[in-house]
Every structure is written in structure tokens, then in C-alpha cells.
Amino acid sequence: MNHKARATIEEFSMLEQGDIVAAAVSGGADSVALLDFLCAQLNLGLTVRACHLNHCLRGEESDRDEQFVRTMCAQYGVALDVRRVDVRALAHTRGLSLETAAREARYAFFEEVARAHGCKIATAHTLSDAAETVVLNLARGTGIAGLCGIPPVRGGIVRPLIGCTRAETEAYCAAHGLCYVTDSTNLTDSCTRNHIRHNVLPQLFRVNPGALEAVGRMTAALRRDEDYLSGAARDARALAARGKGYDLETLRALHPAVRTRVIAALLEEGGAERSAQRIAYIEAMLEGGRRRVMQVGSSLYVVADGGLLYLERRKKTPLEPIEPHLLRREAIDGARISLGDGKAIEFSVVNCADYEIFDNNGGRLLKNAADYDKINNGIFLRSRQAGDRIQPVGRGCTKLLKKLYSEMGAADRERLCVLADENGVFFAEGVGVDERVRVDKVTTHIMLITFARDGADNCMAPEEETA
């Protein structure tokens, strides 16, 4: 471990002569090994400190860990900063998962420690942690950046053990007679990362016992590629810059790997989410000569117009929700309801004893088609409400409608039509029908939902906006 950690420090210029560095010490094997290692680097003349965040999640066990770290730092003569945060309460207040709330609390604490003492923060992330992160990102869906794992250096955060495995840090502790504590929650599969550690990675080791080292080589190579592509994207932004935005023709000519990074940088500039789906929608806006607008925040829009792609902030004015209507299912066939803003919704019920007539229809028609017999009597037509959830056909999971609209960049969301029965939302404009009312091989009656301009037959095109 010693050799690998020293090589990592040198390769990434993590620490220099006379630096002040605070080791983030949880009390586990990795962080205990890190603190001992840093204190032994006499040739660097480091001033070593430590910091510990008590997440208050495990009762007496959390307090035990804190006391262990206090005792260890006193024995080493190392100054220690400690903070206690009720992470469970923080997660509830901010609507976050425990894991996310804990991470945010830790890094906020690290930032304060770094600022207070003018020091770098050394965390004990290992190659094992990096491999878990890669697998987790791969399962969730990611690009090159997510496959790069945990960066060795990020701002004032350094990770000297990122080239070492967890087995090596434990061996270091054993060789140096170091005691450490074990977080009991790490022994369970209660969180996704633990499941990956206990069940997924061992299967990779069956294929290749050196899988961790292979992941390390891959992440190093991908970091180089990502660095190059990020540099190319910076150059492309400078090349495409025109007035308040970027030249559409120049953007269209870029390689997709560079173009998507330019778009991601534009979204980041506005503080908007940079999901792959959102970037794909914006790429589609580059084609054609029409003015196109996509909402990416409460008052932030991406606009393609006048040969430019640019961000536009608009004064947020509250929209009046759609006037709610209660419709009887048996009277829905042929109904047409004005929604205001020159838009109407129309319903028709089709007898579909022979389903084959729909087999060759595209997904666009069936997206707005519901199994009439699966809908309960009493259909509510309204705008989205807090807590509305829907499982879009084929998605395999239920999501908050608010989150789906955010991912889609849907504009004027309060004016989008939602249909619900006593079992909840079964249709949302722009999303389609819920899985529970999907049309299938045993469907006998189909309810088709269409939108038209009020008084006309033309379908609405919400992604286009007249200047």
C-alpha cells in the first residue's frame, strides 16, 4: 500500500512540501490506514490534521466511532475537527435519500474545514470504492465521465489511496498493528452500494481475479479520453460562440461527442439538469429553420432561433391551471373539451374486437390510446397536482409526473392535461398512458385521446413557438 499511495501522490501532484492536510477519518480500516500513512510521510513535512463527521444514524455505534477517532487522534497528537449532523432529519427536510444527504453533509463539512485551516482534505477512497462507483453508474446509465469512477483529485479533495484495494488497506492495518471499527450497516445489503460490493463484484472476480486492477486501468484511460474531449468541447464553444449564444450551423457540423458536451456546458451555465434525454431533445432542436423552445427550469428556456442556440430567462408568471372537469366514462365517446389557449382535447372510443387492425400502427397513436374497460367510471380532467405519479408504458417504474416533465423540459406544465380516475393518473399529456391502462392483445375497446387547435383540426406542436 505504501508504494502505491506514494506513487499516486506523485502522479497527481496531490501533496507538496509543507502542505496542511486534513484526513477524513471515519474509524474504518481505510481511513485509519490513511491517517497512519500520512503521519509517516516525514519527508514531505506535512502538517496532518483530521476531521470526523458523526452522521447520527446508528445511535450508540455512531458515538462509538466518534470516540474511537477522538482517542486515535489524541494518541497521534493530531488536531481533530468533529461535527454531529442528524442526517436522517436532513434527508427528510430536503427530500433526499439518506445516502445523498450524508454525502452532502460530509462535503459541506470538508469545505468548512478546508476553509478554516487553509488545508487540503484527504479522503480514504480506494480502488474498491472506485469499482463500485463504476458498476453503480453503469447500471444507472452513464457516459464516459461516469465510467471514470472516483477522481483522484477534485479541487481541494485528494485521494491518496485510490490506487489501493480495500484488502490492501486492511493488510496495512494488520501489518502495523492498527485497530479500526466496522460500520455494521456495511455488512448488510440494505443499500445499493453494499449489494454491489457483496454480490456483483464477486461475480466479476470469478471472471477475472484481477478485475479491480482492470477497472483501475480502464478508469485511467477513460480519464485521459474525457480530458481530451472536454478540451475539444471548450475549443468548439469558443469557435461556435456568436453574440448571446452558439451558431447552429457550427454546432451541427461538430462531432456528436463534442456537440453533446457543448450542449451540456450550456445547460450547466444556466444551472439546469444535464440528463442524456434532455441533451438529445436539444440536439433535435438544431435541425430545421423554425424557432424552437424547450423549458429547462422554472424560468429558464433553451431557444433555437435566428441561427443561434441560446439560454433565455423569462419572468416567471403563474399560469392558471386547466379548469377541472368530471367526465362520465360512458359518455366520453365523441366528447370535445376546450382547454383554453386555443387548444382542445377530443375523445373517441373504438370497438376493437379484432386487435390486428392496430398491430401495424406506430407507437405515437398507441401512446395516447387507453384500454377503455380498464378505466373506472368518473374521469377527472385537470392539470398536474402535487404527488401525481405515472408509470409510462414500457418504462418499468413509476415516477413523479413533476420529475418526468422536468426531464422532458416540458414548457407551461400547469397547462398540460392530466386524466385520472379513482385509482390515480392514467394519462398525462406529453407522457402518454399509464401501464395499467395500456392497450394489449385482450383489449376490446380503445379510448383515443387527441389534441387539436380549438376550432381547427391541426395537432398542437408544443416544441415550436412563434416569434
Side-chain angles (χ1 to χ4, degrees), residues 163-186:
C164 308
T165 67
R166 188 170 292 117
E168 288 171 332
T169 64
E170 291 175 354
Y172 178 96
C173 289
H176 291 78
L178 303 177
C179 297
Y180 55 87
V181 294
T182 300
D183 180 340
S184 62
T185 62
N186 286 340

Side-chain angles (χ1 to χ4, degrees), residues 48 84 89 117 125 314 374 392 429 464:
V48 180
R84 299 173 66 89
H117 303 295
H125 289 98
R314 301 178 181 178
K374 295 176 183 176
E429 184 179 353
E464 297 171 14

Side-chain angles (χ1 to χ4, degrees), residues 116-229:
H117 303 295
C119 65
K120 294 177 179 177
I121 303 293
T123 69
H125 289 98
T126 65
L127 181 57
S128 303
D129 296 310
E132 291 162 12
T133 298
V134 167
V135 173
L136 183 62
N137 290 341
L138 182 64
R140 289 175 173 171
T142 188
I144 290 180
L147 294 179
C148 289
I150 302 173
V153 178
R154 178 180 284 157
I157 306 287
V158 298
R159 300 182 171 102
L161 305 185
I162 200 65
C164 308
T165 67
R166 188 170 292 117
E168 288 171 332
T169 64
E170 291 175 354
Y172 178 96
C173 289
H176 291 78
L178 303 177
C179 297
Y180 55 87
V181 294
T182 300
D183 180 340
S184 62
T185 62
N186 286 340
L187 304 177
T188 72
D189 289 344
S190 57
C191 72
T192 304
R193 184 174 287 274
N194 284 356
H195 173 67
I196 290 171
R197 180 180 307 157
H198 299 149
N199 303 301
V200 179
L201 288 181
Q203 298 304 312
L204 292 181
F205 300 149
R206 290 181 63 185
V207 176
N208 176 14
L212 287 182
E213 289 73 16
V215 169
R217 293 191 296 272
M218 179 193 75
T219 57
L222 290 179
R223 277 195 298 270
R224 291 192 295 269
D225 292 350
E226 177 64 18
D227 182 62
Y228 174 81
L229 288 168

Side-chain angles (χ1 to χ4, degrees), residues 250-306:
T250 304
L251 291 178
R252 285 193 292 266
L254 294 174
H255 188 283
V258 176
R259 183 169 57 241
T260 54
R261 283 168 169 78
V262 173
I263 294 172
L266 178 70
L267 291 169
E268 185 175 27
E269 180 185 321
E273 182 185 1
R274 301 176 300 160
S275 69
Q277 184 180 40
R278 177 170 285 176
I279 291 170
Y281 284 147
I282 295 173
E283 273 199 287
M285 291 169 58
L286 306 181
E287 303 299 331
R290 297 168 296 185
R291 173 181 170 88
R292 294 193 173 191
V293 178
M294 177 178 174
Q295 186 176 9
V296 294
S298 59
S299 58
L300 184 66
Y301 297 79
V302 174
V303 181
D305 186 42

Side-chain angles (χ1 to χ4, degrees), residues 63-81:
D63 295 337
R64 176 209 66 184
D65 294 355
E66 178 185 326
Q67 186 54 52
F68 175 86
V69 174
R70 286 184 183 276
T71 301
M72 181 182 181
C73 289
Q75 291 172 344
Y76 277 66
V78 168
L80 172 67
D81 291 284

